[in-house]
Amino acid sequence: MINMETLHVIVATGEWNGDQLRYRRHRLAEFLLKQKDTIEVIWLCPSPSPGHKKEAYITLPNGIKQWTIADFLPQKPFRIGRYIDIMYKEKLNPLIDYLKKFENIKVQLWYTFPGFPILSSLFRFDKVIYDCSDLWAAPMNGGSSIVSKLREKIILQAEERLIHKAGTVFCTSDYLRNKIETKVGSSERIHTFENGVDFELFENKQKELPYDFKTPVIGFIGGIKPKLDFDLIKQVAKQRQEWTFLFVGPDGTNGLQEFKELLNEKNVVWTGSVDPLEVPKYMELVDIGIMPYKHSIYNEAVFPLKLFEFLAAGKPVVGAHLPSTKKYQEKFVYSYLENNNVGDFVSECEELLKMKNCQNHINRRKELAYTKNWDHIFQEMIQTSQ
């Protein structure tokens, strides 16, 4: 069979460098761009900046074309318009006109969040795929209010529309897959593909490290958001003042008091955002990687990006309230906690510190991470969607 040239449209949550992190959707876009039958990848995303643009799109340094759809107003509450047809439909017309120019070309639509659901019906897409990585309607902080309930209803309706439209649905956890299966009553087109790792980035020892901390270093690397249990780490930091607690990544807490209080501890360090390509250097500073999540419905569905990155760097990991990761629990590799007990967290860290430099355990961590390389995952996803 001869492969047709293909144009991929990826519906993403925000502009390419908007949150200073590399998520699954970024890696997917770059993987698709590398394929020999791909002629173009379009990154379609909302933007809170409604300013007038001279050009319909910009070409990013990596060759991906970024199209933005301006929100009705820049304030956060108006982002709900991304799921309501009347709020954005006309703004999609330039993209539709652009796609119509590509005759005899396969055009595939990838949703990575349930925004702009009507897009799938505005053009003759050869394939519609939903790559679901979050419980999008659930509040990240676990709270509930009249506003959050309305938001949840609108997002769920948008998601249900694109689930029924999609020929294939991928999920990053079994929890998400089970949720979607209950909506459609079938499992034939729904598949679990967990998050992976750019293994080669972490394969070699980093020679130039950005800091020199008092060891041991207990580290979190990634987006710092309300789904993390800051109070837990504050209590652990108080108990183990001889340890350094390192947080690396952008602050997405919107001024959350718990994070501010954590930073008041003398042995807690926050670097702020770093270049994604610099992450391996910060991994090298860490003795134990941590993923301290709160108990919430939102976190039931999460499969964290950093699990296999820590392991690829040869680092042991402690995680809490991430049931999707429980099956990877292994002594001196990954310690999983179903509670947020300070004593248990400290004990697990102390146990891992005893064997942190054991070469056999380092090899096992890397061996597990290697099986989760992004290219392997995406290649299998492509084959599954055929």
Side-chain angles (χ1 to χ4, degrees):
M1 185 176 90
I2 300 175
N3 289 334
M4 285 184 62
E5 290 184 316
T6 305
L7 185 152
H8 297 278
V9 179
I10 296 177
V11 180
T13 60
E15 296 178 39
W16 184 268
N17 292 318
D19 47 23
Q20 301 170 298
L21 293 167
R22 276 172 53 82
Y23 289 109
R24 176 185 176 106
R25 52 189 172 268
H26 294 85
R27 295 172 169 94
L28 172 64
E30 291 176 336
F31 172 83
L32 293 173
L33 189 63
K34 291 189 300 183
Q35 304 311 297
K36 61 182 180 181
D37 57 337
T38 297
I39 62 165
E40 194 169 296
V41 172
I42 290 175
W43 182 267
L44 177 68
C45 60
S47 172
S49 303
H52 300 287
K53 305 190 297 292
K54 293 182 179 180
E55 303 294 336
Y57 62 86
I58 62 170
T59 301
L60 302 171
N62 57 14
I64 292 170
K65 292 183 177 177
Q66 177 175 279
W67 292 66
T68 55
I69 304 297
D71 290 330
F72 178 64
L73 288 172
Q75 290 80 9
K76 192 172 182 179
F78 292 98
R79 294 178 187 176
I80 197 64
R82 301 168 181 182
Y83 309 94
I84 302 171
D85 295 351
I86 195 172
M87 302 293 284
Y88 66 84
K89 183 179 177 182
E90 288 190 7
K91 297 177 183 178
L92 291 172
N93 288 339
L95 172 64
I96 300 303
D97 291 340
Y98 179 80
L99 294 177
K100 288 177 180 177
K101 300 176 182 179
F102 291 86
E103 298 181 4
N104 302 317
I105 297 294
K106 285 173 60 179
V107 182
Q108 296 189 0
L109 176 60
W110 296 77
Y111 280 97
T112 65
F113 91 116
F116 315 140
I118 203 173
L119 174 60
S120 62
S121 302
L122 297 179
F123 185 74
R124 50 96 190 155
F125 292 103
D126 296 272
K127 201 173 290 183
V128 178
I129 300 168
Y130 178 32
D131 187 31
C132 180
S133 61
D134 275 298
L135 203 60
W136 292 107
M140 188 179 293
N141 62 7
S144 181
S145 65
I146 295 175
V147 173
S148 69
K149 288 292 184 184
L150 177 61
R151 174 185 177 276
E152 179 180 357
K153 182 179 179 181
I154 292 172
I155 295 176
L156 282 175
Q157 289 175 344
E159 185 176 52
E160 287 178 7
R161 289 169 60 189
L162 67 91
I163 286 172
H164 287 283
K165 188 75 173 180
T168 306
V169 179
F170 297 123
C171 304
T172 55
S173 69
D174 289 334
Y175 183 93
L176 286 170
R177 188 191 68 201
N178 293 335
K179 279 280 187 182
I180 291 176
E181 284 180 358
T182 61
K183 296 178 188 293
V184 301
S186 171
S187 61
E188 293 181 1
R189 60 190 178 92
I190 305 168
H191 312 272
T192 301
F193 284 91
E194 296 165 343
N195 286 325
V197 60
D198 291 318
F199 187 81
E200 291 183 358
L201 286 179
F202 303 90
E203 196 170 13
N204 299 316
K205 285 280 186 181
Q206 303 295 312
K207 296 179 180 179
E208 298 180 8
L209 302 182
Y211 292 95
D212 182 17
F213 292 120
K214 179 176 70 175
T215 59
V217 177
I218 315 299
F220 174 86
I221 300 177
I224 301 171
K225 299 179 180 180
K227 60 187 175 183
L228 299 177
D229 192 337
F230 300 114
D231 187 61
L232 168 66
I233 302 306
K234 183 178 73 172
Q235 298 306 319
V236 174
K238 285 179 178 293
Q239 282 199 19
R240 290 293 180 269
Q241 296 189 15
E242 70 276 19
W243 296 356
T244 298
F245 294 82
L246 174 65
F247 283 77
V248 179
D251 180 5
T253 66
N254 295 315
L256 192 69
Q257 185 63 29
E258 288 91 336
F259 183 50
K260 293 179 181 178
E261 292 178 1
L262 172 62
L263 296 180
N264 287 332
E265 298 300 318
K266 294 180 180 180
N267 55 336
V268 174
V269 179
W270 173 46
T271 67
S273 301
V274 301
D275 188 313
L277 295 179
E278 294 289 301
V279 167
K281 292 184 178 181
Y282 289 85
M283 286 284 186
E284 198 64 35
L285 294 169
V286 170
D287 293 293
I288 297 176
I290 57 171
M291 303 183 302
Y293 283 57
K294 294 177 180 176
H295 177 57
S296 70
I297 294 175
Y298 182 89
N299 288 337
E300 288 280 318
V302 168
F303 194 98
L305 286 161
K306 286 297 175 281
L307 174 58
F308 295 123
E309 292 189 0
F310 279 126
L311 296 179
K315 308 298 180 176
V317 189
V318 178
H321 287 306
L322 290 165
S324 63
T325 66
K326 185 176 180 179
K327 58 187 167 183
Y328 295 106
Q329 186 170 222
E330 187 176 331
K331 193 171 179 63
F332 299 121
V333 176
Y334 176 49
S335 297
Y336 174 70
L337 297 174
E338 293 184 342
N339 61 64
N340 294 70
N341 181 277
V342 174
D344 290 347
F345 199 94
V346 170
S347 295
E348 290 297 331
C349 288
E350 288 177 334
E351 187 71 11
L352 292 176
L353 286 172
K354 294 176 184 176
M355 302 294 287
K356 65 174 184 175
N357 293 323
C358 173
Q359 193 60 49
N360 287 339
H361 296 316
I362 292 173
N363 292 343
R364 172 57 189 152
R365 295 164 198 151
K366 292 186 175 185
E367 179 183 78
L368 178 55
Y370 182 74
T371 66
K372 301 295 181 177
N373 203 39
W374 277 121
D375 280 1
H376 300 158
I377 291 171
F378 291 141
Q379 192 61 56
E380 192 172 348
M381 285 170 60
I382 296 296
Q383 292 171 357
T384 301
S385 67
Q386 298 300 320

